[in-house]
Amino acid sequence: FQYLKRFDQQCDLDMFWYEAHSVEGSPAECLQLFLLHCGIVDPSWAELRNFTWFLNIQLRDCEASVFCNPDFVQDTLKGF
């Protein structure tokens, strides 16, 4: 949710890191963003769960990758 919210606000995601146990927004806002970005017109709960699970894994791997670390790559992969 934190990434999607900042993406919609056109923030620079290269410098953002997920903050564990931090709470932002309301459950309704979270659901609205998931529905907006999941890519399915009328998703089931299972499809929403799969979308959030996949997105979470991808973002976690991205944060753990040295190639996505702005301190390591500097500005060579801006916006990647």
Side-chain angles (χ1 to χ4, degrees):
F1 171 76
Q2 293 178 11
Y3 273 97
L4 290 177
K5 181 178 177 183
R6 283 163 179 78
F7 177 78
D8 277 357
Q9 296 171 344
Q10 299 179 346
C11 295
D12 182 11
L13 297 177
D14 291 341
M15 301 304 291
F16 176 71
W17 296 96
Y18 168 71
E19 299 172 31
H21 307 294
S22 65
V23 176
E24 293 183 14
S26 68
E29 184 182 9
C30 181
L31 181 59
Q32 183 179 16
L33 277 179
F34 289 161
L35 289 169
L36 181 66
H37 290 281
C38 78
I40 300 172
V41 176
D42 188 18
S44 67
W45 285 111
E47 290 166 329
L48 280 177
R49 184 218 174 266
N50 289 339
F51 166 72
T52 57
W53 174 79
F54 178 77
L55 182 62
N56 186 51
I57 288 174
Q58 295 301 307
L59 292 171
R60 185 174 39 201
D61 289 349
C62 180
E63 285 187 352
S65 172
V66 68
F67 298 107
C68 295
N69 184 331
D71 295 328
F72 177 74
V73 296
Q74 310 270 318
D75 63 351
T76 59
L77 297 174
K78 187 73 177 160
F80 176 68

